[in-house]
Amino acid sequence: MAMALHKFSHFREAVSRARVLIVGDVMLDRYWFGEVERISPEAPVPVVKIARSEERPGGAANVARNAAALGAQVMLISVVGDDEAGRALERLLSAERVRSSLHRDAAVPTTVKLRVIGRQQQLLRVDFETQPSHEVLGTKLADYENVLQHFDVVVLSDYGKGGLAHIARMIELANARGTPVLVDPKGDDYARYRGATMLTPNRAEFREVAGRWKDDADLERRAQALRAELDLEGLIVTRSEEGMSLFTAKESWHEPTRAREVYDVSGAGDTVIGVLALMVAAGADLHAAMRVANHAAGIVVGKLGTAVATREELAESLGRTP
């Protein structure tokens, strides 16, 4: 039975029992921090003298670390290269209490996003990526089939890197077991997500599929049409400074944004779906799940790069609002 969110202590106890399975495209986020003191004599670009570097899990791996940071039991299934970046990602996930099944594909490098930061501003991002082979994707699907029965909710995190070639089958298998499946979509073809429990596109992603809307009534009409077409139980559109909107067969409901200084929106969508999933797994109703996810997203956008909201930060944020 769904629970309303009255006390954070109740939420924490339920989340500690929640079992979340995450499948999708993972990447290693690398950050090079330095000082900019001059312009290059070779071209009109800044010269960054690197002082330190950081590595963080990105993509579906960031979804996993967000759920784990709040106490859920999390497993991640994905594909990496047989390389240093893949081993670094596995090590980082282990340190954040994420159980991972990372299938190694020797034919491709692990996806890496390298960001160069100077004077607290991102100056450059360099992406290294190649789609995985069909053979390793087949073994990943088999792994998913074997462990699905042990989880309360599934998250399919699609970054368009080719790691979810079997997503329709994954949704079918989850539905057969009655396991809720939440999808963070990518691209302009949502037919492959048909039958999922819920989709969580951001404003730009939804516009790419449904077109521009004139007002909230037009947004609702387009959202409900897409929800019905794809046979979804719910559709949540994250709207940045405008908050989050939920559309089901019974209602359209809006959660306003939490006023907060925005520093970096990187990974905010990962936080939203990770927290939504663990709340659903914990038995929360969708209003409570959205409220908690909204607070968590408000916390991470105040941090640099892909980040997580801690239990203490979330408790404080929720405690400030009625």
Side-chain angles (χ1 to χ4, degrees):
M1 184 172 64
M3 69 167 186
L5 184 66
H6 296 302
K7 295 182 179 180
F8 190 67
S9 58
H10 188 190
F11 157 74
R12 289 179 65 164
E13 291 165 10
V15 163
S16 68
R17 298 188 297 271
R19 299 169 301 172
V20 181
L21 176 61
I22 298 166
V23 188
D25 299 309
V26 298
M27 56 200 70
L28 181 65
D29 285 344
R30 283 187 162 141
Y31 298 85
W32 289 358
F33 298 92
E35 294 298 326
V36 178
E37 298 178 347
R38 62 192 178 96
I39 300 299
S40 171
E42 303 165 0
V45 295
V47 174
V48 185
K49 184 178 180 181
I50 301 300
R52 64 185 178 89
S53 62
E54 289 184 18
E55 295 180 333
R56 302 176 192 174
N62 190 41
V63 178
R65 69 191 284 248
N66 268 275
L70 295 177
Q73 301 169 48
V74 180
M75 181 175 181
L76 171 67
I77 301 176
S78 192
V79 177
V80 296
D82 187 11
D83 52 19
E84 177 272 334
R87 289 185 286 275
L89 191 52
E90 195 166 34
R91 187 171 60 250
L92 289 167
L93 287 166
S94 178
E96 304 218 27
R97 299 189 317 102
V98 174
R99 178 185 165 201
S100 61
S101 174
L102 301 181
H103 295 259
R104 299 190 183 280
D105 189 340
V108 302
T110 300
T111 297
V112 175
K113 291 185 178 181
L114 170 62
R115 296 171 175 89
V116 180
I117 313 293
R119 294 179 181 172
Q120 299 302 307
Q121 292 186 332
Q122 186 177 149
L123 303 176
L124 175 69
R125 194 181 94 180
V126 182
D127 291 1
F128 305 86
E129 60 187 44
T130 306
Q131 292 199 352
S133 67
H134 291 293
E135 291 76 16
V136 75
L137 290 176
T139 63
K140 190 178 82 167
L141 176 61
D143 197 3
Y144 172 84
E145 291 189 63
N146 289 334
V147 303
L148 177 61
Q149 61 184 313
H150 302 297
F151 292 88
D152 304 310
V153 67
V154 171
V155 174
L156 302 177
S157 178
D158 192 353
Y159 268 79
K161 310 302 181 186
L164 284 173
H166 301 293
I167 192 168
R169 178 60 177 160
M170 291 178 175
I171 292 171
E172 180 185 353
L173 290 166
N175 286 341
R177 297 198 61 86
T179 304
V181 53
L182 281 63
V183 180
D184 191 358
K186 184 67 69 177
D188 59 3
D189 180 13
Y190 280 15
R192 62 203 300 258
Y193 308 131
R194 186 180 309 278
T197 307
M198 183 172 297
L199 260 60
T200 63
N202 63 33
R203 184 169 52 190
E205 290 165 343
F206 180 73
R207 186 183 296 123
E208 186 177 1
V209 173
R212 291 185 176 274
W213 53 93
K214 298 178 294 185
D215 50 30
D216 283 351
D218 190 22
L219 168 63
E220 179 178 349
R221 180 182 62 79
R222 293 170 186 267
Q224 290 290 14
L226 181 63
R227 184 197 59 75
E229 178 189 346
L230 297 179
D231 192 24
L232 309 172
E233 288 187 22
L235 175 69
I236 291 179
V237 181
T238 59
R239 302 169 61 187
S240 192
E241 74 281 356
E242 296 178 320
M244 302 165 62
S245 296
L246 166 69
F247 304 95
T248 70
K250 296 180 179 179
E251 68 171 339
S252 298
W253 185 73
H254 185 70
E255 172 78 15
T257 192
R258 299 296 164 185
R260 183 180 293 268
E261 183 178 355
V262 176
Y263 187 73
D264 189 340
V265 298
S266 300
D270 300 334
T271 299
V272 168
I273 198 167
V275 176
L276 278 172
L278 70 87
M279 291 296 293
V280 168
D285 61 62
L286 287 178
H287 288 195
M290 276 184 62
R291 179 169 180 254
V292 175
N294 201 23
H295 277 263
I299 292 166
V300 301
V301 298
K303 302 180 180 183
L304 174 65
T306 48
V308 301
T310 67
R311 285 176 286 187
E312 293 73 23
E313 289 171 330
L314 195 50
E316 180 186 1
S317 182
L318 288 164
R320 288 200 302 260
T321 60

